[in-house]
Amino acid sequence: MRTSVRQTALWLARGVDSWFGDKPFSDGGSVTEGRLGLSLLHRPDEDSASVRFNARFRLPNLEDKAYVFVGRDNPREVISDQPGAFTRPQRLQPEDRDQTSFFAGVGVLLRESTDLRVGFRGGLKPYVQLRYRQPLMLGNQKLAEFRQTFFWTVDDHLGSTTAVSLERAVHADLAVRWLVSGTVTQASRRLGVSSNLGAYRLFGQQRQLAVELIATAEQHTGVGLTDYGVQARWQQPVYADWLVGEVLVGHFWPRANDSVPRDPGWAAGLSLTLHF
């Protein structure tokens, strides 16, 4: 299956590369960051399943500083450039097929830490992103990263996502990390903030146990936190090092606004990610 997925991605990359010139794809062309993921979620009141696909193409006819990206994912998360920890499957949030769509576009590396992307999502709806990422070493055991993304869509107009992460190695196989992200758009003018504080323990052979405290808040809802909870996750390879499984269990206290009470409940998720 992995071979079939990769061959399909390579076939697509060759076809797209041919649109831009006659240089052969074998002259430096490649498919990187390929992921095909299946996520299953169970909550007391509902079950859901979602499939996500992402890949990045380096095309010789676009020269070294440009690339093409394609996939099927949650367009809200892709366009606002949400950190992976805040995607719906990673927060044990239900996601229907209607909430994912195909997207594609072209990115240009302006500098080592900055790229400009122009893309289209389902229905040929355009969007533009300007992304900046800067990792910072704060010492032998401390690492920080700053991420800033400005984006534009027809519906949102201008928008911005700012994310900061701080990580400290407590031991050779134990680390703690705090990640916070905030997004606001010109159309909504409501700042949404997500926070994740976690401890991560490695057990060798790409096995990891994590315990995370998660909280989200949004302006003009009348409540301090629209959701908060705790979750544990176990991740390990299922086959070789390219098929990775993850089990998640969490308990959450959501409250959309001040007109409804909190609705605490358990949630469980299972995901398989094929890297190609």
Side-chain angles (χ1 to χ4, degrees):
M1 180 178 178
R2 181 184 186 233
T3 300
S4 297
V5 173
R6 181 163 182 80
Q7 290 300 325
T8 301
L10 287 169
W11 170 81
L12 179 60
R14 291 190 186 96
V16 173
D17 186 48
S18 67
W19 300 346
F20 300 98
D22 298 326
K23 187 181 294 186
F25 184 77
S26 58
D27 189 9
S30 63
V31 174
T32 60
E33 301 177 21
R35 301 187 308 277
L36 175 62
L38 169 64
S39 299
L40 305 175
L41 171 70
H42 172 73
R43 284 177 175 262
D45 54 345
E46 64 180 309
D47 296 315
S48 68
S50 63
V51 176
R52 298 188 177 207
F53 166 80
N54 293 272
R56 178 166 165 166
F57 302 158
R58 182 182 179 277
L59 307 181
N61 285 297
L62 284 180
E63 305 301 334
D64 293 337
K65 290 191 175 181
Y67 60 90
V68 168
F69 56 92
V70 298
R72 179 180 176 85
D73 213 321
N74 186 306
R76 179 76 256 160
E77 296 170 355
V78 170
I79 294 171
S80 61
D81 198 22
Q82 291 298 314
F86 297 137
T87 60
R88 296 186 70 86
Q90 291 297 303
R91 292 187 297 141
L92 290 174
Q93 295 289 322
E95 183 175 66
D96 298 327
R97 292 183 179 180
D98 295 340
Q99 293 177 291
T100 60
S101 64
F102 284 98
F103 65 92
V106 177
V108 178
L109 299 175
L110 303 179
R111 298 178 60 184
E112 183 178 354
S113 57
T114 307
D115 62 340
L116 175 67
R117 310 208 312 178
V118 179
F120 293 87
R121 63 182 180 91
L124 294 181
K125 299 178 180 179
Y127 68 91
V128 180
Q129 291 176 320
L130 179 63
R131 310 191 307 173
Y132 173 80
R133 283 160 176 71
Q134 183 61 58
L136 300 170
M137 290 298 299
L138 304 180
N140 293 334
Q141 297 179 320
K142 296 179 182 178
L143 176 65
E145 184 183 54
F146 174 78
R147 297 172 47 174
Q148 178 65 59
T149 299
F150 297 102
F151 58 91
W152 174 89
T153 70
V154 174
D155 296 330
D156 294 323
H157 306 304
L158 292 177
S160 170
T161 295
T162 304
V164 177
S165 67
L166 300 172
E167 183 173 331
R168 178 182 175 85
V170 179
H171 192 267
D173 55 5
L174 177 64
V176 293
R177 185 192 67 182
W178 177 56
L179 172 64
V180 61
S181 175
T183 299
V184 64
T185 67
Q186 189 177 13
S188 70
R189 299 186 183 275
R190 298 169 62 175
L191 175 64
V193 179
S194 298
S195 176
N196 181 309
L197 177 62
Y200 305 87
R201 173 71 184 274
L202 296 175
F203 289 89
Q205 297 181 340
Q206 298 182 327
R207 290 172 168 80
Q208 184 186 77
L209 175 65
V211 178
E212 299 168 319
L213 301 175
I214 301 173
T216 60
E218 188 173 356
Q219 284 184 313
H220 310 309
T221 59
V223 294
L225 295 175
T226 53
D227 195 6
Y228 62 88
V230 58
Q231 70 179 24
R233 71 176 70 235
W234 173 259
Q235 183 183 85
Q236 72 171 62
V238 176
Y239 184 80
D241 61 351
W242 48 262
L243 183 60
V244 180
E246 189 173 57
V247 178
L248 302 93
V249 178
H251 194 274
F252 302 91
W253 289 263
R255 187 182 185 188
N257 52 61
D258 57 359
S259 65
V260 296
R262 293 205 178 272
D263 184 22
W266 290 93
L270 173 66
S271 69
L272 286 174
T273 302
L274 187 151
H275 297 266
F276 61 91

